[in-house]
Amino acid sequence: MLKVGVIGVGSISEFHIKPYLESEQVELVALCDSNQNRLNEKGKLYGVTQLYSDYQQLLQNDEINAVSICTWNNTHAIIAIAALEAGKHVLVEKPLSMTTEEALAIEAAVKKSGKVLQVGFVRRHGDNVKLLKTFIDNNQLGEIYYAKASCLRRLGNPGGWFSDSSKSGGGPLIDLGVHMIDICWYMMGKPRPISVSGNTYSKLGNRSNIQNLSFYKAADYDPTLNDVEDLTNALIRFENGASLFVDVSFTLQAQKDELNVKLYGDKGGAEIEPELALVTEKNNTILNVTPQVDTLTFDVHKAFVNEINHFVSCCKDGKETIAPVADGVQVMKMLNAVYESAKSGKETYL
């Protein structure tokens, strides 16, 4: 039985806690949060009696084998390193850290501890992605030389810590773009990035004046607090000649939200979002192929269940994680390079 503690019980923690509670291989023994009222509320809701307001005290509990880190981005590195040094396996929400230097420090701690660290790249665990990966691994798309991904919200700055760069590290790029960049890079075979050209824009703010259109707001939403970008785009070049274009926004003068992830190979193409689809050639004819599966879309709840079960298996059975710390480091390098390029107005070389 893997005994687990969850550090940070804000909104994302629900996607960790529920799969832990449903697993026959896990006992959820402790929760931690600096907000005492929220901590007590979640402890009562989930039937967890060991409650900590200080993560260091939780880590001193020898009963706990593993932790999920569901806190603000600026605390990921310090808590992950402390957990590894305390002998715990770690599942840390994306992004791995705020900076490349922090990411490298976490990687060093993983190597020293010998413990599992899995980065919360949840889209890798989607059923549609896992199916497409089998086609790619069997060379059905051939060489994937171009990918493009968009996650554009017309209105959707969550506010709270998401819009406070000291806690988040940035806006839509580090919150949404991390998923878009990672899933494309992962499906492309994780080629080494060599250069990035990026742009960030802060033109619209959080548009708290907009009425008649609802959107998710963080628990500590404050309409007066916002110092993150509202749009980012980037072109990433890889050592093997492949390239990736991505654009993401918290708010944009757009008719509707957009979510697209597309891959292009020399033997075929594929879309992951908005639905799984394949493009191929047969008998000198281009074919659009729709897999006959239960769901073609990304099921976020199922993906988190898959992610948690995978983490548990890695901890208990020694299985190798599909989202290791090295991948978190590389994605962090790309994210930081986008911000660096946007700030300098020049291409950034990695």
Side-chain angles (χ1 to χ4, degrees), residues 86-154:
K88 317 297 186 188
H89 300 297
V90 174
L91 172 53
V92 57
E93 263 300 333
K94 60 77 191 170
L96 175 61
S97 59
M98 290 255 285
T99 67
T100 299
E101 290 73 21
E102 287 181 343
L104 290 170
I106 297 171
E107 184 176 40
V110 172
K111 292 177 179 177
K112 184 177 180 180
S113 70
K115 294 296 179 179
V116 173
L117 184 136
Q118 181 172 307
V119 186
F121 294 138
V122 69
R123 285 187 171 268
R124 297 189 182 193
H125 300 271
D127 287 342
N128 59 344
V129 168
K130 293 198 292 182
L131 176 58
L132 178 56
K133 189 73 162 56
T134 66
F135 284 87
I136 292 174
D137 291 346
N138 283 281
N139 202 35
Q140 298 298 303
L141 271 61
E143 177 192 355
I144 302 175
Y145 57 90
Y146 180 48
K148 59 188 299 188
S150 295
C151 185
L152 300 175
R153 293 177 181 170
R154 54 186 170 166

Side-chain angles (χ1 to χ4, degrees), residues 201-205 230:
Y201 298 90
S202 299
K203 299 291 188 179
L204 305 180
D230 47 54

Side-chain angles (χ1 to χ4, degrees), residues 16-73:
H16 291 241
I17 292 171
K18 289 185 177 178
Y20 282 137
L21 291 173
E22 292 168 2
S23 174
E24 295 180 354
Q25 301 184 71
V26 172
E27 181 183 350
L28 180 62
V29 299
L31 300 175
C32 175
D33 199 282
S34 58
N35 184 316
Q36 192 66 51
N37 290 335
R38 182 164 55 200
L39 178 62
N40 293 338
E41 176 187 325
K42 293 300 177 68
K44 183 178 180 180
L45 176 64
Y46 297 117
V48 178
T49 57
Q50 294 191 49
L51 306 177
Y52 299 88
S53 58
D54 182 347
Y55 74 87
Q56 292 280 13
Q57 293 180 358
L58 182 148
L59 295 177
Q60 291 172 14
N61 185 338
D62 294 334
E63 181 185 15
I64 295 173
N65 311 119
V67 296
S68 272
I69 299 174
C70 304
T71 56
W72 299 331
N73 296 347

Side-chain angles (χ1 to χ4, degrees), residues 111-338:
K111 292 177 179 177
K112 184 177 180 180
S113 70
K115 294 296 179 179
V116 173
L117 184 136
Q118 181 172 307
V119 186
F121 294 138
V122 69
R123 285 187 171 268
R124 297 189 182 193
H125 300 271
D127 287 342
N128 59 344
V129 168
K130 293 198 292 182
L131 176 58
L132 178 56
K133 189 73 162 56
T134 66
F135 284 87
I136 292 174
D137 291 346
N138 283 281
N139 202 35
Q140 298 298 303
L141 271 61
E143 177 192 355
I144 302 175
Y145 57 90
Y146 180 48
K148 59 188 299 188
S150 295
C151 185
L152 300 175
R153 293 177 181 170
R154 54 186 170 166
L155 183 69
N157 183 330
W161 72 268
F162 290 95
S163 62
D164 181 349
S165 62
S166 68
K167 295 176 180 177
S168 64
L173 176 65
I174 205 164
D175 182 42
L176 308 174
V178 60
H179 282 306
M180 298 296 98
I181 290 172
D182 174 68
I183 198 59
C184 289
W185 178 66
Y186 175 66
M187 301 303 274
M188 296 171 82
K190 301 192 291 191
R192 188 177 75 84
I194 58 171
S195 68
V196 172
S197 183
N199 301 281
T200 60
Y201 298 90
S202 299
K203 299 291 188 179
L204 305 180
N206 60 11
R207 300 176 85 186
S208 58
N209 61 297
I210 296 295
Q211 301 176 18
N212 308 312
L213 186 63
S214 59
F215 62 97
Y216 167 74
K217 295 180 180 179
D220 52 348
Y221 182 83
D222 179 352
T224 66
L225 174 62
N226 181 65
D227 65 354
V228 299
E229 82 276 8
D230 47 54
L231 170 71
T232 298
N233 61 41
L235 177 66
I236 303 173
R237 294 184 174 89
F238 300 100
E239 189 175 41
N240 64 354
S243 57
L244 163 62
F245 179 79
V246 60
D247 57 351
V248 290
S249 71
F250 271 166
T251 189
L252 191 66
Q253 296 284 13
Q255 184 179 12
K256 59 182 180 180
D257 294 350
E258 292 182 33
L259 180 58
N260 296 285
V261 177
K262 302 178 181 181
L263 306 169
Y264 303 97
D266 58 6
K267 289 185 178 181
E271 294 187 7
I272 304 171
E273 296 286 357
E275 291 186 341
L276 179 60
L278 299 169
V279 179
T280 187
E281 292 180 28
K282 296 292 182 184
N283 300 324
N284 302 317
T285 303
I286 296 174
L287 300 178
N288 294 337
V289 180
T290 303
Q292 300 301 300
V293 295
D294 287 336
T295 177
L296 294 168
T297 59
F298 175 71
D299 184 334
V300 63
H301 296 280
K302 181 66 186 308
F304 268 104
V305 171
N306 292 344
E307 179 183 56
I308 294 298
N309 289 342
H310 179 67
F311 175 61
V312 171
S313 179
C314 292
C315 295
K316 287 179 61 65
D317 307 326
K319 186 176 181 179
E320 186 175 349
T321 177
I322 65 168
V325 66
D327 289 6
V329 172
Q330 199 69 287
V331 170
M332 202 67 241
K333 288 180 179 180
M334 288 186 272
L335 294 172
N336 282 177
V338 174

